[in-house]
Amino acid sequence: DVKVTQSSRYLVKRTGEKVFLECVQDMDHENMFWYRQDPGLGLRLIYFSYDVKMKEKGDIPEGYSVSREKKERFSLILESASTNQTSMYLCASSLSGTSETNTGELFFGEGSRLTVL
Amino acid sequence: GENVEQHPSTLSVQEGDSAVIKCTYSDSASNYFPWYKQELGKRPQLIIDIRSNVGEKKDQRIAVTLNKTAKHFSLHITETQPEDSAVYFCAASSFTSYDKVIFGPGTSLSVIP
């Protein structure tokens, strides 16, 4: 079974703090993603990475950065947390490319609920 | 970029009835359309998907239809059961080497026993 592990399930931080959210996958997937989930807004893509040291902005990258130094690990960084970044953050991974056997399925972690006071 | 809309945002049905969720997408290059189910407090999981070379796909009580001309696709759940209660997300993607997946806002389905 694919396992995507997010290091922290619940975090409480103060405005202005630097926040690191860590995600590790064990299936040698090329693609990794960070989504933010808010009620009524669904899953919004913050950043994704298709290879080590490669990253692409998603739909809402402002206020966030990412790091992918190793294939299995994808980190989301909030340089200076703000209250409007209070949310559930979901990491996901998938195989790259398309084939009859690769469905492009996203495998999600359990999520990290961040509260910024 | 791609934009995915989804309706309705909430849906209540009696157990045994059918449920239909509809989505539209904007990017004509999209060619892969998955559906994810998220039960309360759990992670989203893929339940069915369809590629652009197919008009319909079925898996037991769930089916998905795709109209590429109109850029819309739908999820159909028949004989609903209480365990179908969840939030359902449609999504769209084009198979580049990046496989970027964009989600709709979700539909909260409640199946009333």
Side-chain angles (χ1 to χ4, degrees):
Chain A
D1 271 355
V2 174
K3 196 167 183 183
V4 180
T5 304
Q6 294 183 230
S7 56
S8 304
R9 292 293 308 276
Y10 301 94
L11 303 95
V12 179
K13 298 291 181 180
R14 296 207 174 273
T15 301
E17 280 192 83
K18 191 168 186 176
V19 182
F20 292 88
L21 299 179
E22 303 283 340
C23 176
V24 177
Q25 51 95 1
D26 65 357
M27 281 301 290
D28 203 34
H29 284 171
E30 293 86 1
N31 300 328
M32 295 190 75
F33 306 80
W34 276 106
Y35 287 91
R36 171 176 170 161
Q37 183 172 17
D38 301 287
L41 297 177
L43 301 165
R44 293 181 292 165
L45 183 62
I46 304 171
Y47 268 97
F48 67 104
S49 169
Y50 51 91
D51 202 352
V52 176
K53 296 193 187 295
M54 305 303 287
K55 60 186 179 184
E56 291 284 336
K57 291 180 181 179
D59 296 327
I60 52 164
E62 297 80 17
Y64 304 94
S65 62
V66 290
S67 172
R68 192 161 181 207
E69 296 296 319
K70 293 185 177 182
K71 190 174 184 180
E72 68 270 20
R73 187 180 297 271
F74 191 36
S75 302
L76 180 69
I77 303 153
L78 288 67
E79 293 287 342
S80 178
S82 63
T83 55
N84 62 11
Q85 292 178 309
T86 292
S87 187
M88 171 68 83
Y89 291 88
L90 287 167
C91 174
S93 71
S94 71
L95 279 171
S96 181
T98 177
S99 70
E100 287 305 313
T101 53
N102 177 22
T103 64
E105 179 177 358
L106 288 174
F107 293 89
F108 285 89
E110 290 190 307
S112 298
R113 183 166 294 283
L114 171 66
T115 301
V116 183
L117 301 175
Chain B
E2 176 64 275
N3 182 53
V4 179
E5 297 185 355
Q6 184 172 349
H7 300 280
S9 57
T10 59
L11 179 60
S12 288
V13 299
Q14 292 288 333
E15 182 177 358
D17 286 351
S18 295
V20 180
I21 302 170
K22 298 183 179 183
C23 291
T24 61
Y25 63 99
S26 61
D27 189 350
S28 56
S30 290
N31 56 11
Y32 172 65
F33 306 94
W35 287 85
Y36 286 80
K37 176 184 180 182
Q38 186 178 29
E39 296 175 2
L40 190 63
K42 298 192 175 180
R43 68 191 84 190
Q45 291 193 300
L46 179 72
I47 55 170
I48 195 168
D49 55 19
I50 190 167
R51 298 189 185 213
S52 59
N53 57 351
V54 175
E56 184 174 357
K57 184 177 178 181
K58 217 171 183 180
D59 183 5
Q60 299 183 332
R61 294 187 298 108
I62 60 173
V64 57
T65 59
L66 171 65
N67 182 328
K68 278 218 79 177
T69 304
K71 292 191 196 147
H72 63 70
F73 56 113
S74 301
L75 178 72
H76 303 252
I77 306 174
T78 58
E79 300 171 26
T80 53
Q81 300 168 4
E83 52 265 38
D84 294 329
S85 296
V87 177
Y88 291 82
F89 295 99
C90 61
S93 173
S94 60
F95 271 116
T96 66
S97 59
Y98 308 153
D99 298 340
K100 180 179 171 182
V101 180
I102 300 299
F103 287 84
T107 295
S108 178
L109 172 65
S110 298
V111 179
I112 304 162

